[in-house]
Amino acid sequence: MKRLLALILLLVASDSAVAQTIPLPRPRPAPATDAPKVEAPAPPSACRLRLTEELAVAPSLPPIEGPGDCGAPDVVRLVAVVLADGSRVALTPPATLRCGMAEAIVRWVREDVAAAVHDIGGSLRSVDNYASFDCRGRNNIVGAKTSEHGKGNALDIRSFKLADGKVVKLADPQAAKDFRDRMKKSVCARFSTVLGPGSDGYHEDHIHVDLMDRAPGRFRMCQWDVHDPEPAETATAVPLPPPRPKIEAKGGRKL
């Protein structure tokens, strides 16, 4: 019995020694709390999903933030409008606009301008972008309320260029009046603000359109006088000089 007890004690001591020689696993490192968080990119807006390559060449740009009150979310660079037949109408130069404004311009060019140009026997090739995003006061007046241009929400247009090289200026009284009347009606139906000749003295050579938010019940602003063509100057007859008097020479001979 003593021998058996001694054997048991020996086995217990041996197991304890072996247990002490087996290393314990290292403690798991604490999760890092100061690692930078990677934010997932924002999903495309509904406007961005609508403005497909079948409608326009309009790559997305980063949001514009400042200075001051200037800025715009969901910005695109409108390079060209794609017409129903696949041809492209360039914005010259490309316009920096918020997506909603760009979409309104695209639909106007596709649905109204191209058809009107076709009806006067032409094919539209480009739209003259006089101004798009520009962080400034209204009418370029320092200290004035921020223009819709400063919000990427406005476009100034001077003319259209046709495939044959002809340029149609919207503020030119000599351009076809029916065409200009049609353009006025179309922009005033689509945009919140339309300013042209006769509006305020600052828009005599171009047309300003924007999508300014107005309080409920406020009317759209459509101020564009489509002037009649100036009458052609009639040539006045140049009076002939009076006949020279006849001089009689000596001897009664007339000279």
Side-chain angles (χ1 to χ4, degrees):
M1 177 64 70
K2 291 182 179 180
R3 186 177 297 177
L4 179 59
L5 182 58
L7 181 60
I8 291 173
L9 292 175
L10 180 61
L11 290 174
V12 172
S14 176
D15 289 343
S16 177
V18 172
Q20 291 177 2
T21 60
I22 298 176
L24 296 175
R26 295 181 179 179
R28 297 177 62 184
T33 58
D34 56 351
K37 295 182 179 179
V38 179
E39 295 184 1
S45 67
C47 173
R48 179 69 269 183
L49 293 175
R50 291 191 301 268
L51 200 59
T52 63
E53 59 184 11
E54 286 77 21
L55 299 180
V57 179
S60 295
L61 296 177
I64 299 172
E65 299 179 358
D69 293 336
C70 293
D74 197 15
V75 183
V76 303
R77 183 173 182 261
L78 183 57
V79 177
V81 178
V82 181
L83 300 183
D85 62 1
S87 61
R88 294 184 178 185
V89 177
L91 273 289
T92 54
T96 300
L97 301 166
R98 64 173 62 192
C99 185
M101 182 64 187
E103 183 182 16
I105 292 294
V106 167
R107 298 197 181 280
W108 174 60
V109 171
R110 282 173 57 92
E111 299 169 12
D112 296 340
V113 182
V117 169
H118 181 270
D119 288 348
I120 62 174
S123 180
L124 185 61
R125 284 294 173 266
S126 66
V127 176
D128 179 12
N129 163 27
Y130 190 40
S132 55
F133 174 79
D134 187 5
C135 184
R136 58 174 174 80
R138 291 181 179 177
N139 299 322
N140 280 304
I141 298 175
V142 177
K145 188 175 181 179
T146 302
S147 167
E148 291 298 299
H149 285 285
K151 303 172 185 178
N153 204 31
L155 185 69
D156 287 349
I157 306 160
R158 283 189 297 193
S159 62
F160 303 129
K161 188 172 183 179
L162 311 188
D164 61 3
K166 181 180 179 181
V167 175
V168 181
K169 296 181 179 179
L170 295 177
D172 182 6
Q174 301 306 316
K177 188 172 187 296
D178 288 347
F179 178 81
R180 290 180 289 124
D181 279 330
R182 188 171 175 178
M183 289 297 93
K184 176 184 176 180
K185 183 178 180 180
S186 69
V187 291
C188 289
R190 290 182 180 271
F191 298 95
S192 301
T193 309
V194 177
L195 301 173
S199 59
D200 56 9
Y202 293 96
H203 301 86
E204 296 304 304
D205 62 348
H206 66 278
I207 310 302
H208 167 101
V209 297
D210 69 43
L211 288 176
M212 177 182 178
D213 290 329
R214 287 191 169 88
R218 294 287 298 273
F219 294 101
R220 294 171 181 262
M221 181 181 292
C222 179
Q223 298 179 355
W224 173 6
D225 293 340
V226 181
H227 298 300
D228 291 321
E230 297 177 359
E233 295 183 2
T234 57
T236 56
V238 178
L240 296 175
R244 295 176 63 185
K246 296 179 180 180
I247 302 174
E248 293 186 358
K250 293 181 180 181
R253 186 168 57 89
K254 293 181 179 180
L255 300 179

